[in-house]
Amino acid sequence: MPIHATHPHTGETITTSVAGAAFVIAPRYGESYSFDRSGRLLGLFTNGRSYQRTLDNRLLERNARGKTRRRLPPHEHHALLEHVFERLSDLAQVTSQADLDPDDRHALASALALILAFGPDRLAEDGAIFRTLYKPVSILPPDQYLALVLQATEGCSWNRCTFCGLYHDRDFHIHSPESFRDHCTRVRDFFGDGLSLRRGIFLADANALVIPQARLIALLDIAQEFFHLHDRPRPVFSFVSAFDVERKSADDWAQIHALGLERAYIGLETGDDDLLHFLNKPGSVQDAIDAVHALRAGGVSVGVIVMAGIGGEYFAEPHVERSVEAIQAMQLGPNDMVFLSKYVPVPGTAYPRQADAAGILPLSAEEIEDQLHILQASVRAIAPGIRVAPYRVEGFAL
Ligand code: SF4
């Protein structure tokens, strides 16, 4: 329940919520800050603008649709944090005089003590520690933004799709049980009480489920040893390449499901084999359909990602038609999801050059938006009850 109080000097309404997985403090109308339970600032809203504080300590201004407008330069970053912590210090000073129930006063004072101990200098140190814990987390599915990321692998085992530059900065590498245990120890120590906000585990990077079965089981055992919930494994989520799913049987998937794996996310991108081939994605559309069946037979639900706009004008019709057919053939269930992303050219990737050389005209932003709506409506028509959600690749930040 939110706690309401009146500021004893200014008369402004103070609203706070400190009993859940996060602390939310609104020191006056139109301004609010959120923190995890260790007191780490996560985001704020002030002067009509929203900001995300990333775990590596950048402040990103977001627009109303959650897109990043800009990263605050150092002087604005500093000034904004100073403003926030001045307000919080003032709040800590007046808490004893505010019209509060004694239990609420105690809860608010305890939360403010944690938050104030996590001031601008410590946030900067915290961000520096975060950067030593992880290789940059390039992307997460939109329903996993609050996951606890564990990097069982680094990079992508394929790394050659022509439109994708997410992991060009690193070689593929699978953690040994020893190095993964060390990673888990450091991640646990970093998040502290802030872990309560992190729902499931996201096993990163791009294709962690490609790890050979015995090693994957060893790594999941370690992850659950550190982060299990009271009486059961913490749910685990991960990307998998359709092409790699066939390396494991339905029994293998059932074994991994028993260790927490709830959903695997597959980048189908398109249901058209010619376009898939043009994108240099490994495997075929049938591989992706078979992969979904194998995962679901093992009790693992799926998130299938289709990309609007890829393949330009030339592929537009078969791309939409065959993507919908592929999703229909997957026979998705109520726990499965379909995500629709929009193609955005990535500097340093081969696709724009190759498409140009092949005479493939790109779709305009409006045409991509139209294609996305057609895909959305068609998937909803053939798979009623399946959740269809947008998938944002641009501007992702943890
Ligand atoms: S799209 Fe997926 S499989 Fe292809 S290179 Fe990127 S991360 Fe790897």
Side-chain angles (χ1 to χ4, degrees):
M1 285 287 285
I3 305 168
H4 299 284
T6 304
H7 193 294
H9 305 147
T10 65
E12 288 170 325
T13 301
I14 304 163
T15 305
T16 64
S17 164
V18 293
F23 301 140
V24 180
I25 305 221
R28 61 176 189 168
Y29 180 73
E31 184 150 337
S32 73
Y33 321 135
S34 60
F35 309 84
D36 70 16
R37 289 199 71 85
S38 60
R40 175 184 286 115
L41 179 67
L42 299 174
L44 63 136
F45 180 79
T46 181
N47 285 329
R49 294 178 181 203
S50 296
Y51 303 88
Q52 176 193 0
R53 179 190 165 270
T54 61
L55 289 169
D56 62 0
N57 200 39
R58 289 168 290 152
L59 282 175
L60 305 179
E61 187 184 332
R62 301 282 197 188
N63 69 13
R65 302 176 78 191
K67 275 195 175 165
T68 303
R69 266 207 189 112
R70 65 191 183 110
R71 175 184 177 179
L72 265 57
H75 66 284
E76 284 186 55
H77 179 119
H78 179 77
L80 188 56
L81 288 188
E82 200 149 285
H83 165 80
V84 167
F85 280 91
E86 262 172 28
R87 283 216 177 272
L88 291 164
S89 301
D90 170 66
L91 202 55
Q93 279 169 20
V94 299
T95 301
S96 59
Q97 304 156 40
D99 49 338
L100 283 168
D101 162 283
D103 287 347
D104 288 347
R105 187 190 311 283
H106 177 71
L108 180 55
S110 306
L112 282 169
L114 284 171
I115 290 166
L116 288 170
F118 227 130
D121 290 346
R122 189 164 158 210
L123 286 173
E125 283 163 25
D126 194 65
I129 295 170
F130 179 82
R131 286 192 293 275
T132 69
L133 289 183
Y134 292 99
K135 289 271 191 228
V137 178
S138 305
I139 191 79
L140 289 178
D143 59 330
Q144 296 299 319
Y145 288 173
L146 278 179
L148 175 71
V149 176
L150 296 177
Q151 281 176 324
T153 60
E154 290 172 4
C156 168
S157 56
W158 176 248
N159 218 10
R160 278 176 274 168
C161 299
T162 55
F163 60 91
C164 170
L166 288 171
Y167 301 99
H168 282 183
D169 62 343
R170 69 201 81 165
D171 291 332
F172 184 68
H173 164 77
I174 300 177
H175 267 288
S176 67
E178 295 71 31
S179 63
F180 188 64
R181 179 176 287 282
D182 178 56
H183 179 60
C184 290
T185 307
R186 298 178 66 217
V187 167
R188 180 193 59 195
D189 295 349
F190 173 81
F191 281 103
D193 288 343
L195 269 178
S196 61
L197 190 63
R198 309 278 146 192
R199 297 186 198 128
I201 290 168
F202 194 86
L203 205 67
D205 272 339
N207 195 6
L209 297 177
V210 75
I211 299 173
Q213 185 75 352
R215 172 78 66 91
L216 183 57
I217 287 172
L219 300 187
L220 283 171
D221 272 336
I222 293 169
Q224 295 299 356
E225 176 192 323
F226 276 82
F227 301 110
H228 67 89
L229 300 173
H230 300 297
D231 52 351
R232 62 194 160 91
R234 193 179 285 258
V236 177
F237 304 84
S238 191
F239 289 119
V240 68
S241 141
F243 178 65
D244 291 313
V245 170
E246 68 183 24
R247 295 173 205 252
K248 293 182 176 32
S249 66
D251 283 350
D252 289 336
W253 290 117
Q255 214 177 357
I256 298 167
H257 176 55
L259 284 167
L261 183 65
E262 293 238 326
R263 180 177 299 124
Y265 297 82
I266 297 184
L268 171 68
E269 320 304 354
T270 178
D272 183 71
D273 270 317
D274 291 340
L275 178 54
L276 213 53
H277 185 68
F278 185 72
L279 301 177
N280 200 30
K281 275 245 70 125
S284 65
V285 174
Q286 191 56 50
D287 287 334
I289 296 167
D290 294 345
V292 167
H293 291 157
L295 287 159
R296 296 190 73 231
V300 180
S301 66
V302 295
V304 182
I305 304 152
V306 176
M307 187 180 278
I310 196 77
E313 275 184 15
Y314 180 78
F315 283 103
E317 224 178 280
H319 172 44
V320 170
E321 204 173 298
R322 296 195 181 126
S323 297
V324 176
E325 282 169 12
I327 288 169
Q328 189 161 31
M330 287 172 178
Q331 299 174 307
L332 302 180
N335 293 327
D336 301 318
M337 297 183 76
V338 174
F339 293 97
L340 301 174
S341 68
K342 287 187 210 169
Y343 171 64
V344 179
V346 178
T349 54
Y351 173 82
R353 187 172 24 86
Q354 290 178 353
D356 192 42
I360 295 173
L361 293 175
L363 296 184
S364 66
E366 293 73 33
E367 286 169 326
I368 294 177
E369 192 70 31
D370 286 350
Q371 192 177 85
L372 189 136
H373 286 300
I374 294 169
L375 282 164
Q376 188 179 44
S378 309
V379 170
R380 287 200 169 128
I382 53 116
I386 299 298
R387 284 169 292 167
V388 184
Y391 187 104
R392 206 177 59 229
V393 179
E394 247 187 326
F396 167 80
L398 194 60

